[in-house]
Amino acid sequence: MTHRAVFLDRDGTINEEVGYVNHLERFNLLPRVGEAIRLLNQHDWKTVVVSNQSGVARGYFPESLVHQVHQKMRDLLKREGAHLDGIYYCPHHPDVGVPPYRQRCRCRKPATGLIEEAVKELGLDCSQSYVVGDRGVDIEFAGRIGARAILVLTGYGKGEWEYCKEQWKVKPDYVAEDLVEAVHWILQQEK
Ligand SMILES: [Mg+2]
Ligand SMILES: [Zn+2]
């Protein structure tokens, strides 16, 4: 039995884009994100966060902070009756910092390493799944895993859409104001 999933970018999609979440206090959910994820939970979608966190490789914060931030994310969502089925992140960067964080890894989006892990662990079918994110890299990532792509206009989304979309090899299937609108669109497609 395979499950369908919504792969969620983190910064700028779930929480406020602040450059780098280099302190627990800088992690704040965007409006109505709890409602959006709760809706997916209620409709039997697996919710999986897929996030590049190169701030670790860059030496801006320790990897332990990423875990603290993810605990805070789970706690804040829980208050809204929402949960995540998986959280996957890449702490690497190809040319900044020191090994082992500095490496040409297979898990930095748009590479698909993180998804291969998630697919195995959670039994997911990417062809039935969606990616939601605020950057071109998220859209390209969706193309590589064979999922449908939604760009949200939160975070970097507005600027990405206005100034960068001509360069994108993969175009989003839908552009949404925010995560809750993206989720409404997904649920409508699947009716
Ligand atoms: Mg983002
Ligand atoms: Zn990586």
Side-chain angles (χ1 to χ4, degrees):
M1 161 120 186
T2 56
H3 302 279
R4 48 195 195 164
V6 179
F7 297 107
L8 300 162
D9 169 53
R10 198 191 84 181
D11 302 336
T13 301
I14 289 178
N15 54 286
E16 289 167 11
E17 174 58 62
V18 293
Y20 291 89
V21 179
N22 66 345
H23 194 281
L24 204 51
E25 284 175 12
R26 276 161 59 87
F27 183 92
N28 295 297
L29 293 182
L30 286 165
R32 300 181 71 194
V33 158
E35 177 189 340
I37 294 176
R38 188 173 65 235
L39 268 173
L40 291 173
N41 298 151
Q42 288 167 343
H43 288 84
D44 287 325
W45 287 86
K46 295 287 180 193
T47 53
V48 181
V49 170
V50 184
S51 177
N52 286 349
Q53 291 299 323
S54 71
V56 176
R58 295 172 197 272
Y60 295 166
F61 49 85
E63 191 164 2
S64 58
L65 179 69
V66 179
H67 296 282
Q68 287 178 43
V69 165
H70 289 166
Q71 191 54 52
K72 180 174 178 181
M73 175 163 63
R74 287 189 187 280
D75 291 344
L76 292 173
L77 288 172
K78 195 171 174 187
R79 281 192 220 161
E80 313 238 6
H83 75 267
L84 298 166
D85 295 289
I87 302 176
Y88 298 83
Y89 69 93
C90 163
H92 308 116
H93 192 280
D95 29 56
V96 185
V98 290
Y101 291 123
R102 189 188 74 215
Q103 62 157 286
R104 292 199 179 280
C105 66
R106 296 185 57 254
C107 53
R108 181 171 163 80
K109 288 183 292 185
T112 58
L114 290 179
I115 280 302
E116 286 155 26
E117 230 176 288
V119 163
K120 246 185 274 166
E121 287 175 10
L122 301 169
L124 308 176
D125 178 355
C126 288
S127 71
Q128 307 259 29
S129 298
Y130 293 79
V131 172
V132 185
D134 68 323
R135 302 195 83 163
V137 71
D138 298 304
I139 307 307
E140 186 179 343
F141 172 68
R144 290 199 195 181
I145 66 168
R148 270 166 285 181
I150 302 174
L151 181 80
V152 283
L153 296 177
T154 50
Y156 286 108
K158 217 165 254 173
E160 288 273 284
W161 186 237
E162 197 161 328
Y163 302 115
C164 304
K165 65 168 182 276
E166 307 305 332
Q167 301 144 37
W168 294 352
K169 284 171 262 165
V170 181
K171 308 289 179 201
D173 295 282
Y174 187 65
V175 179
E177 278 304 318
D178 58 13
L179 185 56
V180 81
E181 202 212 324
V183 167
H184 284 302
W185 188 76
I186 291 170
L187 297 179
Q188 215 166 15
Q189 302 311 297
E190 301 293 327
K191 255 192 205 147

